[in-house]
Amino acid sequence: NAGVMQNPRHLVRRRGQEARLRCSPMKGHSHVYWYRQLPEEGLKFMVYLQKENIIDESGMPKERFSAEFPKEGPSILRIQQVVRGDSAAYFCASSPRDRGLQETQYFGPGTRLLVL
Amino acid sequence: GQNIDQPTEMTATEGAIVQINCTYQTSGFNGLFWYQQHAGEAPTFLSYNVLDGLEEKGRFSSFLSRSKGYSYLLLKELQMKDSASYLCAVSLWGGGNKLTFGTGTQLKVEL
């Protein structure tokens, strides 16, 4: 009974490189959320996706960041041309199919990105 | 905008009871979640309140007052393993189910 899976758990990149973070939701979950946690700060919402659709990307920086959740495979958060300020823990959460009610979000173990 | 406040740190003794408060100022409040997060790990769901009152789950209880914009998490019979950060998060109507988190309360349980 796997929970939310994220990989890699740790990622080191040099400034200017690309970072690609993957998230596989819990079985039966079709909603994926990405959050960022900076040191000494709370979790901040980035983007909410369903299969093949971005529902809410109001928390995503306008440049360099993108997310997708294809019909097959994991959700991907991509950060192009990383800068030191992108160093953070990136958490993915998933919830079941929306029935019009608030569904509990279950979190993955996170990817800790370090930009050198 | 939304504002969620929690104490930064708390210390309590093993076997005791501790109450972690959370106040919020939001428009379109839908419900409130509590999560536990150990250092370097994923947040783990503890409770969800949408109506006023107390929800009890074993050693953990959570209370909500919508009119006062106030919630608390009550931990009884504290154990050393309860040392963690406790996150209060609010969901909003029309917010697409996204959660807005407080900065978390770091609880330290001592002998």
Side-chain angles (χ1 to χ4, degrees):
Chain A
N1 183 20
V4 178
M5 312 269 289
Q6 290 188 249
N7 69 81
R9 295 289 304 275
H10 299 274
L11 183 61
V12 180
R13 285 287 179 265
R14 297 192 180 278
R15 281 179 297 169
Q17 291 184 319
E18 178 178 286
R20 195 172 289 209
L21 288 60
R22 294 176 187 77
C23 168
S24 296
M26 285 178 72
K27 188 176 180 181
H29 287 192
S30 57
H31 296 211
V32 166
Y33 310 80
W34 286 93
Y35 293 84
R36 177 165 63 175
Q37 189 172 38
L38 292 166
E40 308 303 324
E41 293 188 18
L43 285 155
K44 297 277 194 265
F45 168 79
M46 299 182 75
V47 62
Y48 164 38
L49 310 104
Q50 296 175 22
K51 286 282 187 183
E52 301 183 281
N53 279 306
I54 296 175
I55 307 302
D56 182 349
E57 57 182 347
S58 57
M60 287 277 271
K62 299 300 180 193
E63 298 177 349
R64 303 188 296 108
F65 285 71
S66 62
E68 62 178 8
F69 189 14
K71 187 176 181 181
E72 302 290 338
S75 175
I76 307 285
L77 179 68
R78 182 183 301 149
I79 312 173
Q80 296 177 303
Q81 299 172 349
V82 295
V83 301
R84 289 213 173 109
D86 297 333
S87 295
Y90 291 83
F91 288 95
C92 168
S94 72
S95 67
R97 180 171 56 87
D98 184 4
R99 297 171 295 168
L101 302 172
Q102 177 69 48
E103 295 281 4
T104 297
Q105 294 179 26
Y106 296 90
F107 283 80
T111 294
R112 279 144 189 87
L113 172 65
L114 175 63
V115 180
L116 301 176
Chain B
Q2 300 104 46
N3 194 34
I4 300 172
D5 288 313
Q6 319 177 223
T8 305
E9 295 179 337
M10 296 183 72
T11 302
T13 305
E14 189 180 34
I17 299 173
V18 71
Q19 178 175 311
I20 303 175
N21 296 325
C22 173
T23 58
Y24 60 89
Q25 294 165 329
T26 65
S27 54
F29 175 85
N30 183 14
L32 189 142
F33 288 84
W34 283 96
Y35 284 84
Q36 179 192 61
Q37 186 179 25
H38 285 97
E41 297 184 12
T44 304
F45 169 73
L46 291 177
S47 68
Y48 173 52
N49 293 71
V50 63
L51 300 175
D52 286 358
L54 189 68
E55 295 277 345
E56 297 188 73
K57 270 188 189 180
R59 293 190 300 115
F60 292 6
S61 304
S62 57
F63 172 84
L64 177 67
S65 169
R66 296 174 69 111
S67 61
K68 294 181 180 177
Y70 168 68
S71 173
Y72 67 72
L73 181 69
L74 194 71
L75 291 75
K76 303 176 188 174
E77 300 169 15
L78 280 173
Q79 302 175 9
M80 298 297 287
K81 68 177 182 180
D82 296 330
S83 293
S85 182
Y86 290 85
L87 314 178
C88 171
V90 167
S91 67
L92 306 176
W93 283 110
N97 290 336
K98 68 186 180 190
L99 298 178
T100 302
F101 282 85
T103 52
T105 298
Q106 187 64 45
L107 174 66
K108 183 178 179 183
V109 180
E110 298 178 328
L111 290 171

